Amino acid sequence: MTVVEEFEQLRPLLFSIAYRFLGSVSEAEDAVQETWLRYELSPTRPASARAFLSAVVTRVSIDVLRSARLRREEYVGPWFPEPLLTDPYEDPERSVELADSLSMASLLLLERLSPLERAVFVLREVFGFGFPEIASAVGRSQAACRQLAVRARRHMDEGRPRFEADRRQREELAARFFDAFREGNFDGLRELLAADVQMVADSGGKAPHWARGFFGADHVSRVLVALLPPFVRIGGVVEPHQVNGQPGAIFRDRGGKVVNTWALDILDGRIQTIRTVLNPDKLGHVGPVADAWTVLRETQRARRDAD
């Protein structure tokens, strides 16, 4: 196997590690590219390409994460990860860990950890690396990594999101939700929302925003019922799709361009949170991005015409 073939075989794993560190598709891709450059320039071929490359992408991601945190302190409004439609890495033995760690709720919880805690937790709990490999990746002793793992696990357990365990039940509930949404069925929506449901958005100050968001089943149901008809009148389409391993949707304008994405958190047969990503900078990898301000003006005009 050539060096290029070896790297390409491991690329999905490297991207998945980097994305869970950074919550950004573009930054994760850049981290993987930087890892390739370092691998290509390495004077010797490592005994384990997987261990070597995972260590390199971890170090690169830690450096990016530290600078990204400074930028996020100045971010306008809530910050959400860039939506990921498909995780390129699969491991049947760790499918539960991989799926749970990909959700927006989990990625937001990871944001509370220090870069080193995050590195140890992701490598150990999500991808099942041994402590010798983790110690080499983060430049700490195995004993120190074990302590970091305990601390990170405690922080994660304190706020760890729980989801409907049965994927089929989640998908069925999401299908009922989107049916009720399309029909403008207030009672149907109200039945599927948790009493304290939250509908929150990340616009980054670059798209129409919802202030703090919408809260409570009645309020969110009214918003949902009012939202879709004018959007459909201007040719908008709601496309159900998995987003970060959870049920969600892509909203497209009449030309098929991406307006925003939704990701749903589902627990105990109810939708707990609807997270919307509107920031156009975070949607380019999903497809050509619509001008959300234009879409808003058109929907407002359609609503006035209907009245």
Side-chain angles (χ1 to χ4, degrees), residues 146-178:
R146 291 181 187 277
Q147 291 178 342
L148 286 166
V150 170
R151 193 157 62 237
R153 194 180 302 115
R154 183 173 64 248
H155 290 321
M156 292 296 288
D157 287 344
E158 288 172 356
R160 186 187 295 275
R162 295 180 299 126
F163 303 105
E164 197 72 60
D166 189 308
R167 179 175 292 275
R168 182 180 58 81
Q169 291 180 1
R170 274 186 297 175
E171 292 174 352
E172 288 179 353
L173 188 145
R176 290 166 54 202
F177 168 79
F178 283 113

Side-chain angles (χ1 to χ4, degrees), residues 13-88:
L13 170 64
L14 303 178
F15 173 86
S16 292
I17 291 172
Y19 178 78
R20 285 165 175 80
F21 273 57
L22 304 170
S24 165
V25 172
S26 56
E27 289 178 349
E29 290 173 342
D30 289 345
V32 172
Q33 183 61 26
E34 175 64 23
T35 299
W36 160 247
L37 293 175
R38 297 188 187 187
Y39 187 45
E40 186 182 30
L41 295 173
S42 177
T44 59
R45 194 162 180 176
S48 169
R50 181 179 186 272
F52 177 83
L53 291 169
S54 298
V56 173
V57 81
T58 294
R59 296 185 198 118
V60 171
S61 298
I62 287 174
D63 289 342
V64 175
L65 180 62
R66 284 173 171 150
S67 61
R69 286 193 161 192
L70 295 176
R71 295 195 303 273
R72 288 172 194 173
E73 289 177 0
E74 301 174 355
Y75 196 80
V76 177
W79 179 92
F80 296 160
E82 290 182 8
L84 186 65
L85 304 186
T86 305
D87 187 357

Side-chain angles (χ1 to χ4, degrees), residues 54-257:
S54 298
V56 173
V57 81
T58 294
R59 296 185 198 118
V60 171
S61 298
I62 287 174
D63 289 342
V64 175
L65 180 62
R66 284 173 171 150
S67 61
R69 286 193 161 192
L70 295 176
R71 295 195 303 273
R72 288 172 194 173
E73 289 177 0
E74 301 174 355
Y75 196 80
V76 177
W79 179 92
F80 296 160
E82 290 182 8
L84 186 65
L85 304 186
T86 305
D87 187 357
Y89 178 70
E90 296 181 359
D91 181 352
E93 294 184 359
R94 305 195 66 80
S95 59
V96 174
E97 292 88 348
L98 289 169
D100 284 353
S101 66
L102 192 62
S103 72
M104 286 205 172
S106 292
L107 290 171
L108 288 170
L109 193 56
L110 280 170
E111 284 287 305
R112 302 180 188 178
L113 304 182
S114 71
L116 282 179
E117 288 173 341
R118 189 165 184 166
V120 172
F121 183 87
V122 167
L123 293 176
R124 179 65 179 172
E125 300 294 330
V126 179
F127 293 96
F129 280 79
F131 281 109
E133 294 172 297
I134 296 171
S136 174
V138 302
R140 297 290 189 275
S141 68
Q142 290 188 47
C145 288
R146 291 181 187 277
Q147 291 178 342
L148 286 166
V150 170
R151 193 157 62 237
R153 194 180 302 115
R154 183 173 64 248
H155 290 321
M156 292 296 288
D157 287 344
E158 288 172 356
R160 186 187 295 275
R162 295 180 299 126
F163 303 105
E164 197 72 60
D166 189 308
R167 179 175 292 275
R168 182 180 58 81
Q169 291 180 1
R170 274 186 297 175
E171 292 174 352
E172 288 179 353
L173 188 145
R176 290 166 54 202
F177 168 79
F178 283 113
D179 285 344
F181 180 46
R182 291 189 189 94
E183 295 165 2
N185 183 344
F186 177 88
D187 291 334
L189 289 167
R190 177 67 180 79
E191 178 185 350
L192 297 171
L193 300 176
D196 57 351
V197 64
Q198 303 179 48
M199 187 174 177
V200 287
D202 172 350
S203 70
K206 298 182 178 184
H209 68 282
W210 301 338
R212 292 181 58 250
F214 304 109
F215 305 90
D218 286 338
H219 191 190
V220 171
S221 295
R222 285 194 295 271
V223 170
L224 292 173
V225 167
L227 178 65
L228 191 61
F231 183 65
V232 170
R233 286 190 206 106
I234 66 168
V237 175
V238 181
E239 177 186 308
H241 202 292
Q242 288 282 309
V243 177
N244 286 78
Q246 304 298 319
I250 303 170
F251 284 63
R252 299 184 186 273
D253 69 6
R254 67 167 66 90
K257 293 184 178 180

Side-chain angles (χ1 to χ4, degrees), residues 284-295:
H285 62 283
V286 179
V289 181
D291 182 341
W293 294 103
T294 298
V295 172

